[in-house]
Amino acid sequence: MCERQNFSPLLLAGILAGSVQFLALTAAAAQSGDDDLAVLESITVTVRRREENIKDIPGSVHVETGRNLEQKRMLDGASALRDVAGASIGTFGDRSNAFVVIRGVAPVLSPLSPDDSSVLTFVDGAPMPIGAAFSPYLDLERMEVMKGPQNTLFGRNTSGGAINLVPVKPSHEFEGSVRGELGTDGIYRAETILNGSLVPGMLAGRLAIRRSGADGYIDNIAGAALGKVATWAGRGSLLFTPSPRARWLLSLHGESTDSAPTGYIAYRPGGPKTAAQNMTVDDIRMVAIHSRLEYDFDAMTFAAQTSYARLDDRNRYNFPDAMIASDFSGLPASRFLDPTTNFTDWKKRDSRLTQEFRLGSLPGAGIGWLAGVVFYQDQARRDRTGEMWYFGPSASGSTDYDLKTTGQALFGEATVALSEKLKLTVGGRGTHESKAFHSAYRSNGAIGAVPHFSEADNARYSFLTGRTALSRDWTDDLMSYASVSRGYKSGGFGLSNSLMWAGVPRQPYASSTVMSYEVGTRSSWFDKSLALSGALFFNDMRREQMQSWDYTHFTGKNLNLDARSAGFELDARFHPSRSWWIEAGVAYTYSALRHVTAEASAAQDGLRSGNQLPTVPEWAGKASVGYHGLGRDVGLSGWLADQSVSARLSYNYIGSRYTDASNFGKLAPAHLISARVGLDWGDGEIYLFGDNLLGKKYMTIKERFGTDAQGNPVFGASYARGATVGLGAILYF
């Protein structure tokens, strides 16, 4: 059973909600005569691999500053995406198999191979392994989420979009901080940051370290509660500036996470959310090193960026949960709790080596341009051992899989002024890529299986991607744009081959493309106190990659299917006074499979044209209100009167969506409320926080596992954590 807390979550949630309400009411009264509008800060981004003001970007970009990420407790990739219109997560209850979806563009259901991704995460422009998408967000200056194909400047695995994380750079000013948090569900966080000069005027360093975790929250009759997580994360960086023209940034960061993933448990409408699993492991070890050398010539900037990242994962679990297996087999759950006959054990390793050279225009140049060449090599290895006697030989034995991808590309983009207010952007990338794989199967003696089988193959791909956009500055505070982009994902060799036990080789899957069309606008109003942005988009996906699954025969097949997505997004941020801010946004996404063949329908029951794409909510929305002022403005006296008080109350809506391409598993809408109240005295802050304050453990997965003896569908489900509240403090020195 889940560990009980020594205090009531409902009590703390009530205190937190009451504090926010108190601040809102008193501050409203205090500010009723304040008509001064606050000016929104300008935002600098690097979404075109050079620093620019966001108002000059002819495309959709969502930016969260490091302060916003902290205030909203967006401490990792999963939580940081909840405020990003059009973004969602494909998840199976663990981290190692999760992936990001933007505007419906992503592998359908799940990636076919270790390099099958449509949205990739970058750290300061350096690509990370796909499995690092949900790593901790530590000591960031900002997060930049680019929507639509980003293949032109960011390269492969970005046909749906890209996420660029910009860490805080070292500086010569000494600063440091220590943070601690405790909360319900065993939540804890300890964090320290140190920054300062190592060689005055020439070498600065920065170090950030975090330890965090939480207890499990899904009761488990066969073992420890599911959902427990414990993480170490750190980053060290050096900035060497031998002259005003030269900069060399070197960073090393890593992560060590041990978790008991929530996975699939038996779906019991109205009943307890209980697991029956005696092995649940998803342990991740990741290390990455980045080097970026920049030099400013008189007419251009040169950059040489080298990066290497490696991620190792041990993923071990019962498949399926014993109660799910009991539901569709009719046998007692105890028959499925022998850890030697109902398990899947994965050892995963991904590495990514990238070398890039770039030339680009200096800030303020009449023509903004960038050109470069990149070389990369990715390697992936998967070792799987499994035993699921009730699914036959296809689910037993051991398999290894090795994939090596090597590529090089030339790319460039330029923005030219056609008139005083009209600008044209044109860019393209030519890529050549080769893939080689090897896989071997060894039987564990299952009846009908071959003792050993191995296969190998290779393929080459050459492709062009690009983007063109037209933007117009109607006024200094209003611009609009229209763009067309082409994204591409190379084909490959699927990780899964459910017929290896019979000595049948896998068939390669085809490359996929997406043509993306977008019109949008970005503006500010009322003396820059109100910022508005909006976009209309249409994505035409051809031969999108999909893995079908037949639970009756426990076989999968790699497919390529056409699909479309279209919709709109609106975002607003308003500072009605110097103390108050309001945020709101809404997103609508229509998505559908197209031209589903009879062969594809036969491979997976319920697969047909018109089905909604998995994990893509039709509607999503957000609303937040916040306050920042002095204690005296909310009725505090004495020493508290001169200290800063802040409060935030946020609401997120995730509309109904499906977690499978057959549209059997429909998820109900989710309503999330979070809040934060803080008191800042300059040298530190103490704060209360709360997440998912409605307390509902909403469903994140609902997938059909087959039918029971009466022909009723049997579902497996996964759930998010319920309400959590806690207390935190940070000291600066």
Side-chain angles (χ1 to χ4, degrees):
M1 301 293 287
C2 292
E3 184 177 337
R4 301 299 178 190
Q5 305 296 329
N6 295 324
F7 47 87
S8 169
L10 291 177
L11 176 61
L12 280 182
I15 295 173
L16 187 61
S19 300
V20 171
Q21 184 180 27
F22 167 76
L23 286 173
L25 292 174
T26 55
Q31 294 292 320
S32 60
D34 185 359
D35 295 327
D36 293 334
L37 297 179
V39 176
L40 292 168
E41 296 180 359
S42 62
I43 300 175
T44 298
V45 295
T46 53
V47 299
R48 295 199 287 186
R49 312 302 295 273
R50 59 187 188 272
E51 290 191 352
E52 299 175 277
N53 193 300
I54 193 171
K55 72 179 183 64
D56 297 322
I57 304 299
S60 291
V61 183
H62 180 100
V63 179
E64 294 282 356
T65 65
R67 176 176 173 80
N68 284 347
L69 291 170
E70 179 60 49
Q71 291 286 313
K72 297 177 181 180
R73 288 188 58 76
M74 295 178 175
L75 305 179
D76 56 30
S79 59
L81 291 175
R82 68 188 179 207
D83 261 13
V84 181
S88 53
I89 298 173
T91 179
F92 301 92
D94 57 8
R95 254 191 58 187
S96 61
N97 291 302
F99 57 97
V100 180
V101 183
I102 291 184
R103 293 177 170 175
V105 181
V108 181
L109 183 63
S110 65
L112 295 186
S113 66
D115 67 345
D116 178 17
S117 172
S118 299
V119 181
L120 195 64
T121 297
F122 296 77
V123 176
D124 234 353
M128 298 297 292
I130 293 171
F134 303 107
S135 290
Y137 280 11
L138 175 65
D139 193 30
L140 296 182
E141 180 180 314
R142 65 184 178 274
M143 173 189 76
E144 305 168 343
V145 181
M146 295 155 274
K147 304 173 187 178
Q150 303 297 320
N151 299 83
T152 303
L153 296 182
F154 284 88
R156 62 194 301 259
N157 302 123
T158 60
S159 58
I163 301 169
N164 188 36
L165 308 179
V166 183
V168 179
K169 295 178 179 61
S171 67
H172 290 279
E173 181 179 354
F174 176 78
E175 61 176 304
S177 64
V178 176
R179 182 189 302 271
E181 288 182 354
L182 289 173
T184 56
D185 271 12
I187 289 174
Y188 66 91
R189 176 163 62 131
E191 186 174 297
T192 185
I193 297 173
L194 290 172
N195 177 90
S197 182
L198 301 177
V199 178
M202 186 173 292
L203 182 64
R206 190 174 184 91
L207 177 67
I209 300 174
R210 176 190 294 170
R211 174 66 169 171
S212 60
D215 290 340
Y217 60 93
I218 297 294
D219 290 343
N220 184 8
I221 64 173
L226 306 186
K228 184 174 183 179
V229 61
T231 296
W232 281 100
R235 179 186 297 108
S237 53
L238 297 171
L239 180 60
F240 180 50
T241 51
S243 75
R245 289 176 177 259
R247 302 169 297 281
W248 182 27
L249 179 64
L250 181 67
S251 65
L252 174 70
H253 66 271
E255 173 197 358
S256 176
T257 294
D258 295 331
S259 65
T262 54
Y264 295 98
I265 67 174
Y267 175 56
R268 298 284 189 272
K273 300 174 178 62
T274 306
Q277 302 177 25
N278 52 27
M279 56 180 74
T280 51
V281 173
D282 192 19
D283 295 345
I284 291 174
R285 307 290 182 263
M286 191 268 290
V287 63
I289 183 168
H290 302 317
S291 168
R292 189 175 73 237
L293 175 64
E294 296 175 302
Y295 187 86
D296 295 334
F297 294 97
D298 291 339
M300 67 186 73
T301 293
F302 168 77
Q305 184 157 328
T306 308
S307 64
Y308 174 78
R310 180 175 133 176
L311 187 146
D312 292 88
D313 174 67
R314 178 71 182 274
N315 195 199
R316 182 179 173 91
Y317 50 91
N318 301 112
F319 190 81
D321 178 282
M323 287 194 287
I324 296 177
S326 176
D327 286 347
F328 67 72
S329 69
L331 300 173
S334 58
R335 290 286 304 275
F336 303 92
L337 288 175
D338 183 346
T340 65
T341 61
N342 180 24
F343 76 94
T344 296
D345 190 346
W346 288 92
K347 295 178 182 178
K348 308 176 183 179
R349 173 174 294 177
D350 294 293
S351 67
R352 173 160 285 178
L353 174 64
T354 305
Q355 176 63 64
E356 185 172 284
F357 300 99
R358 301 190 300 270
L359 289 172
S361 58
L362 294 171
I367 298 177
W369 61 274
L370 185 79
V373 59
V374 63
F375 306 90
Y376 56 87
Q377 183 179 99
D378 298 348
Q379 291 184 288
R381 180 171 178 87
R382 301 289 186 269
D383 293 298
R384 175 193 175 275
T385 303
E387 172 62 54
M388 288 163 276
W389 55 270
Y390 41 90
F391 282 126
S394 65
S396 301
S398 59
T399 306
D400 62 61
Y401 172 98
D402 291 278
L403 177 68
K404 182 178 180 180
T405 302
T406 304
Q408 48 276 327
L410 291 169
F411 61 91
E413 185 181 85
T415 299
V416 297
L418 302 180
S419 67
E420 184 180 353
K421 296 182 177 295
L422 192 64
K423 296 177 183 178
L424 174 67
T425 298
V426 178
R429 175 181 290 243
T431 304
H432 178 74
E433 189 171 274
S434 61
K435 295 185 180 183
F437 99 102
H438 174 271
S439 185
Y441 165 81
R442 291 164 296 279
S443 171
N444 64 348
I447 298 175
V450 298
H452 179 270
F453 174 72
S454 64
E455 55 178 319
D457 204 347
N458 60 79
R460 297 178 183 274
Y461 308 90
S462 296
F463 50 94
L464 295 173
T465 53
R467 181 173 186 269
T468 183
L470 194 64
S471 61
R472 180 177 176 86
D473 296 320
W474 301 96
T475 69
D476 290 341
D477 298 321
L478 173 63
M479 67 87 71
S480 58
Y481 63 88
S483 68
V484 180
S485 305
R486 183 179 193 263
Y488 183 97
K489 285 194 302 180
S490 56
F493 308 96
L495 174 62
S496 174
N497 179 5
S498 56
L499 294 176
M500 284 194 79
W501 64 273
V504 178
R506 73 199 71 198
Q507 294 296 315
Y509 58 86
S511 302
S512 67
T513 62
V514 56
M515 290 298 299
S516 181
Y517 308 88
E518 179 179 339
V519 294
T521 183
R522 193 176 288 114
S523 63
S524 60
W525 304 83
F526 307 123
D527 295 328
K528 300 186 185 298
S529 64
L530 171 64
L532 295 174
S533 63
L536 296 169
F537 64 88
F538 174 75
N539 296 312
D540 186 7
M541 294 163 268
R542 301 295 177 92
R543 301 184 305 277
E544 184 56 82
Q545 294 150 3
M546 173 187 173
Q547 182 183 57
S548 66
W549 198 249
D550 182 349
Y551 275 101
T552 302
H553 302 97
F554 205 70
T555 57
K557 188 173 183 179
N558 298 330
L559 303 174
N560 289 89
L561 297 178
D562 293 346
R564 282 181 176 174
S565 65
F568 67 86
E569 299 158 356
L570 294 172
D571 277 290
R573 182 176 176 90
F574 181 43
H575 276 240
S577 74
R578 298 187 182 278
S579 299
W580 285 92
W581 57 262
I582 301 169
E583 282 186 350
V586 62
Y588 170 80
T589 304
Y590 161 82
S591 65
L593 293 173
R594 304 176 67 238
H595 308 144
V596 176
T597 64
E599 178 187 6
S601 296
Q604 180 166 312
D605 185 26
L607 196 64
R608 58 179 60 90
S609 297
N611 282 7
Q612 186 174 322
L613 293 174
T615 73
V616 181
E618 194 170 19
W619 288 95
K622 64 179 181 181
S624 300
V625 60
Y627 171 81
H628 185 273
L630 294 177
R632 64 170 59 92
D633 296 330
V634 294
L636 300 178
S637 59
W639 176 80
L640 295 175
D642 296 321
Q643 312 314 314
S644 296
V645 175
S646 62
R648 176 189 60 82
L649 182 65
S650 297
Y651 167 72
N652 290 90
Y653 172 79
I654 306 172
S656 60
R657 63 252 182 244
Y658 294 94
T659 55
D660 62 327
S662 297
N663 288 185
F664 289 138
K666 188 173 184 178
L667 304 181
H671 305 268
L672 308 177
I673 292 179
S674 60
R676 187 183 190 275
V677 177
L679 176 70
D680 189 325
W681 60 92
D683 293 328
E685 183 190 21
I686 187 169
Y687 53 92
L688 288 167
F689 62 87
D691 292 307
N692 194 12
L693 292 176
L694 295 178
K696 183 176 177 60
K697 296 178 181 177
Y698 64 93
M699 197 181 306
T700 58
I701 301 172
K702 183 184 178 185
E703 187 168 343
R704 197 179 73 158
F705 271 72
T707 57
D708 61 18
Q710 290 74 42
N712 300 312
V714 173
F715 289 97
S718 185
Y719 298 88
R721 191 180 294 272
T724 57
V725 292
L727 175 69
I730 182 171
L731 298 176
Y732 303 101
F733 53 88

